[in-house]
Amino acid sequence: MSHLLTILFGRLPIGWLQLTHSRGRFFAAVAGVAFANLLVFMQLGIMGALNNSTVAPYDILDADIILSSQDGNTLTDGGHIPRARMFQALGVAGVSDASALFIGNLPFTLEDGSSVSLLSFGMDVAKPLFATPAIATSLEKLSLENTVLLDEGTRGMPKDVIAELIDGGQFRFETGGNTLTAIGTMDVGVGFLADGMMIMSDQSFMRVFPGRSSGAPNHILIRIADGVSNDAVVARLMNTLPSGNLRIQTKSGSAANDLAYMATERPTGVIFGFGVFMGLLVGLVIVYQVLSTDVADHLREYATFKAMGYGQSFFLGIVFEEAIILALFGFIPGILVSLGLYAGLVSFTGLPVEMNAGRALLVFFGTLMACSLSGAIATRRLANADPADLF
Amino acid sequence: MGNASITTRGLNHFFGKGDARKQAIFDVNLEIERGSLTILMGPSGSGKTTLLTLIGCLREVSDGSVSVLGHELNNADEDLLVGLRRRLGFIFQAHNLHESLTSTQNVLMGLQVHGGGNPQKQRDAAHHILNLLGLADRRDYLPSNLSGGQKQRVAVARALVSNPEIILADEPTAALDKESGHKVVQMLKSLGKARGTTTVMVTHAPRILEMADRIITLEDGHIVSDQRQ
Ligand SMILES: Nc1ncnc2c1ncn2[C@@H]1O[C@H](COP(=O)(O)OP(=O)(O)O)[C@@H](O)[C@H]1O
Ligand SMILES: [Mg+2]
């Protein structure tokens, strides 16, 4: 290692030799950085799962523009909008079709007596184009009264039930005085939003949710004609539709807004953001502590090097060398343990917690930056190395 | 400049400020010839170390003039000082070796300050000088595994390995036994003859005084005697 670094730097790897000389301190520092990495990875992992959950339902919709009420927060946490807007929108140039989307949460008692909640979408089965192709083909079958498609990832649902459904079987269940029949599955993975999800016709939705009126859906989905730009249609809709309590967004814009809302306005998002910040801070403090003690412990040696004619950049080089070594050696165990914990979380909670290259790179460069910053602060102590005091 | 490698003119030095201000060096005028071995003597507190650090570019010269290897140190910028330090060799009273580096690596630090260079040649040079100082079998030891005298010899090797033009030594033989102390001074003397290396050394060891070209005695910051022999 030392030999390799010598070739790399064209000088003795003083930082490496110095760090590894006091093994106890080195391992403590590496463990500290690894722990900080772990904190950040866990926070980001759960935050990522939260984000995935938030936008997952968008994946089953195929729409260009979504009309929603202003007092809604996200797609699945929204207010109502008059269905009249749909008819008005159909009259706007560039709009090729529009459809109402109803959303509700249905409690369901499992065989073992525990209760889960199912996020339920009611859609117009005569307009399958508003669902993604995988679901669109099954959508027509949902015109049969009280039939549903059930999310494969629904928590608490026996594995054999799902397997049978995938094989073309059926599953009958009772909820709120209604008997529903699952006739197929979809793969959404709603994670944090609910325990599971199902999709049904708007007719069935009204039966299952007797309090809801077909005149007040949650959203209006809009598809635009070929060759027309989203923005142009959005602008025209804004001009045409009554502006009271109405939000007009593209599908991707709506998803982005949902993410921003979850990150900044919901306590969970804020807590996770704070967790990431704390992880960074822990790493920063540990690395600063180690590096500045290390500088303080070697002031005499540094003063000697100064007397020998080594300049400031040499000493900065040592401290940054140490910072980079700590970042590297801390990151590796940090990400390995995180991967293990991610796998554990997935198998225990079913939440969509996953590592991706982007996050790994982000955390690695974050670690590198934090370590370098700590190193930069620690170098202030170098000024105390005065070669005149050596004699 | 002539043949002098160190010249001082009207050199004064003060420590502290205000009421605590205290003069440690008084009007010192010296010319030290290239290749000579000069010994500084004097009671404790007489200013020997202060004078050495002024010449060694380790302390700011603010009153009077010091010229080292043809460069004026009064008002010199940091780059000039750093550059000059690379042409000097220091041997301190304490060895000041880096605890995490082996003997060879400590000596290499004396070479690598010049940048570049062939790593294998540098390693050979370090081993060569360690051999000369009787440390052939200790070259891969960490300082913690060396005796006091061995550590001091590694420090001497570190100072000499880059062929400095001036060697400044402050009681270097304190930690050395008589025989290796003598051997080190013998080396310095022959370097003076062969390469023109100038040595200024603080010491009181009688056997070494005999080998000196010149003995300067300080008292309370004044030169009180200057003998050539
Ligand atoms: N860093 C310093 N600050 C204040 N006074 C100092 C300092 N270094 C040395 N002195 C004073 O300068 C005088 C000369 O000291 P020094 O050069 O160390 O003497 P020597 O090396 O001959 O024993 C002494 O009176 C000492 O107390
Ligand atoms: Mg002294």
Side-chain angles (χ1 to χ4, degrees):
Chain A
M1 185 75 190
S2 169
H3 196 70
L4 191 84
L5 291 174
T6 308
I7 295 168
L8 206 65
F9 296 155
R11 64 161 168 83
L12 287 171
I14 310 287
W16 165 257
L17 293 169
Q18 211 163 278
L19 271 181
T20 49
H21 187 78
S22 14
R23 281 202 189 177
R25 184 188 296 164
F26 181 57
F27 284 123
V30 165
V33 174
F35 178 70
N37 269 313
L38 189 67
L39 271 180
V40 171
F41 270 128
M42 291 323 286
Q43 303 292 337
L44 289 179
I46 295 170
M47 197 149 76
L50 187 67
N51 287 345
N52 284 346
S53 309
T54 304
V55 298
Y58 281 97
D59 291 345
I60 59 175
L61 303 176
D62 195 351
D64 301 305
I65 294 169
I66 300 181
L67 306 185
S68 316
S69 89
Q70 209 123 48
D71 42 64
N73 293 320
T74 64
L75 182 72
T76 56
D77 177 16
H80 303 158
I81 173 173
R83 191 174 42 175
R85 302 285 170 271
M86 180 174 84
F87 301 117
Q88 290 162 335
L90 282 168
V92 169
V95 171
S96 75
D97 204 354
S99 178
L101 173 64
F102 298 85
I103 298 177
N105 261 304
L106 198 62
F108 166 57
T109 308
L110 294 167
E111 272 173 23
D112 64 6
S114 64
S115 180
V116 296
S117 95
L118 297 173
L119 176 68
S120 310
F121 273 24
M123 293 180 77
D124 183 350
V125 293
K127 294 182 172 178
L129 274 182
F130 286 94
T132 43
I135 292 168
T137 49
S138 324
L139 209 57
E140 279 168 29
K141 293 185 242 158
L142 295 180
S143 55
L144 272 174
E145 195 173 294
N146 286 4
T147 53
V148 302
L149 299 179
L150 194 63
D151 185 12
E152 289 168 16
T154 300
R155 270 193 284 275
M157 202 53 74
K159 287 230 160 50
D160 52 316
V161 167
I162 299 294
E164 216 176 295
L165 279 175
I166 293 174
D167 279 352
Q170 297 197 341
F171 172 62
R172 205 178 279 267
F173 59 105
E174 196 83 27
T175 167
N178 289 287
T179 304
L180 298 181
T181 309
I183 56 165
T185 65
M186 53 191 178
D187 184 10
V188 188
V190 285
F192 275 98
L193 287 177
D195 297 302
M197 182 171 178
M198 55 186 180
I199 193 166
M200 61 188 80
S201 72
D202 45 5
Q203 307 290 327
S204 302
F205 189 91
M206 292 311 143
R207 263 189 294 272
V208 176
F209 294 93
R212 292 293 300 271
S213 133
S214 58
N218 296 81
H219 305 276
I220 308 286
L221 308 176
I222 290 177
R223 286 175 65 97
I224 61 171
D226 289 344
V228 189
S229 94
N230 262 342
D231 294 341
V233 178
V234 166
R236 250 174 267 155
L237 284 167
M238 283 185 176
N239 284 333
T240 317
L241 300 181
S243 60
N245 198 19
L246 179 69
R247 259 207 293 194
I248 305 173
Q249 301 175 100
T250 60
K251 182 182 159 190
S252 57
S254 173
N257 269 337
D258 287 6
L259 287 179
Y261 170 79
M262 295 303 277
T264 58
E265 310 220 0
R266 291 300 291 264
T268 40
V270 176
I271 286 169
F272 288 130
F274 187 65
V276 170
F277 174 73
M278 286 308 289
L280 269 175
L281 204 65
V282 166
L284 215 77
V285 168
I286 290 174
V287 173
Y288 169 72
Q289 196 56 43
V290 168
L291 292 184
S292 71
T293 330
D294 190 70
V295 169
D297 283 356
H298 292 93
L299 278 184
R300 237 191 131 68
E301 281 99 331
Y302 290 165
T304 309
F305 290 150
K306 268 192 194 171
M308 288 161 65
Y310 283 96
Q312 187 67 7
S313 61
F314 169 79
F315 300 104
L316 295 183
I318 293 181
V319 178
F320 283 115
E321 178 188 331
E322 294 185 331
I324 290 165
I325 288 167
L326 288 180
L328 256 174
F329 278 73
F331 179 78
I332 294 166
I335 193 173
L336 290 180
V337 174
S338 300
L339 282 173
L341 286 184
Y342 276 16
L345 265 182
V346 169
S347 77
F348 279 116
T349 65
L351 293 175
V353 187
E354 54 203 18
M355 184 66 76
N356 54 53
R359 180 180 306 153
L361 277 177
L362 181 79
V363 172
F364 178 65
F365 283 108
T367 309
L368 214 55
M369 299 278 286
C371 287
S372 305
L373 182 65
S374 306
I377 305 172
T379 54
R380 290 187 315 168
R381 285 198 171 193
L382 279 173
N384 297 337
D386 183 359
D389 296 337
L390 285 173
F391 285 101
Chain B
M1 180 186 88
N3 200 28
S5 60
I6 304 166
T7 310
T8 75
R9 292 267 170 266
L11 177 64
N12 294 300
H13 192 78
F14 301 87
F15 285 111
K17 284 199 172 80
D19 286 345
R21 190 167 147 106
K22 180 170 175 281
Q23 189 162 2
I25 297 289
F26 294 82
D27 190 31
V28 164
N29 295 286
L30 274 178
E31 230 168 80
I32 294 174
E33 291 91 29
R34 189 168 172 274
S36 64
L37 172 59
T38 302
I39 287 191
L40 281 181
M41 276 180 49
S44 173
S46 58
K48 307 181 295 292
T49 298
T50 306
L51 184 56
L52 219 54
T53 53
L54 286 167
I55 294 169
C57 313
L58 302 180
R59 238 180 241 296
E60 201 185 330
V61 176
S62 52
D63 190 338
S65 152
V66 176
S67 161
V68 171
L69 300 168
H71 296 276
E72 177 57 50
L73 301 188
N74 194 336
N75 269 321
D77 64 18
E78 184 64 19
D79 286 346
L80 173 66
L81 296 178
V82 169
L84 276 176
R85 281 182 209 147
R86 293 184 185 173
R87 297 166 66 184
L88 311 181
F90 292 100
I91 306 172
F92 309 96
Q93 200 164 352
H95 55 82
N96 291 333
L97 296 179
H98 194 300
E99 53 159 8
S100 316
L101 306 184
T102 63
S103 305
T104 303
Q105 290 171 331
N106 265 297
V107 173
L108 281 173
M109 290 307 294
L111 279 176
Q112 293 185 349
V113 69
H114 300 284
N118 175 328
Q120 191 52 51
K121 277 192 183 148
Q122 291 184 337
R123 203 157 272 278
D124 291 344
H127 287 163
H128 177 70
I129 189 118
L130 284 169
N131 292 352
L132 282 182
L133 285 157
L135 292 165
D137 55 347
R138 294 286 184 276
R139 56 196 204 189
D140 294 323
Y141 282 41
L142 289 174
S144 54
N145 297 325
L146 297 174
S147 74
Q150 287 168 339
K151 281 187 258 203
Q152 190 58 304
R153 275 184 276 156
V154 175
V156 170
R158 179 179 60 186
L160 297 187
V161 70
S162 61
N163 296 322
E165 291 160 71
I166 299 176
I167 290 168
L168 301 171
D170 199 348
E171 311 204 30
T173 52
L176 294 175
D177 56 80
K178 259 191 190 159
E179 198 190 331
S180 42
H182 192 260
K183 194 165 148 192
V184 166
V185 178
Q186 196 67 59
M187 266 176 89
L188 294 176
K189 208 167 154 61
S190 54
L191 279 174
K193 288 226 162 57
R195 298 210 181 103
T197 311
T198 311
T199 301
V200 181
M201 179 184 291
V202 175
T203 187
H204 293 99
R207 294 228 306 183
I208 294 168
L209 295 180
E210 290 166 17
M211 298 159 74
D213 299 315
R214 181 175 176 189
I215 299 176
I216 296 170
T217 310
L218 283 175
E219 251 169 53
D220 293 330
H222 299 271
I223 295 181
V224 292
S225 103
D226 187 347
Q227 298 166 279
R228 291 169 199 262
Q229 52 190 50

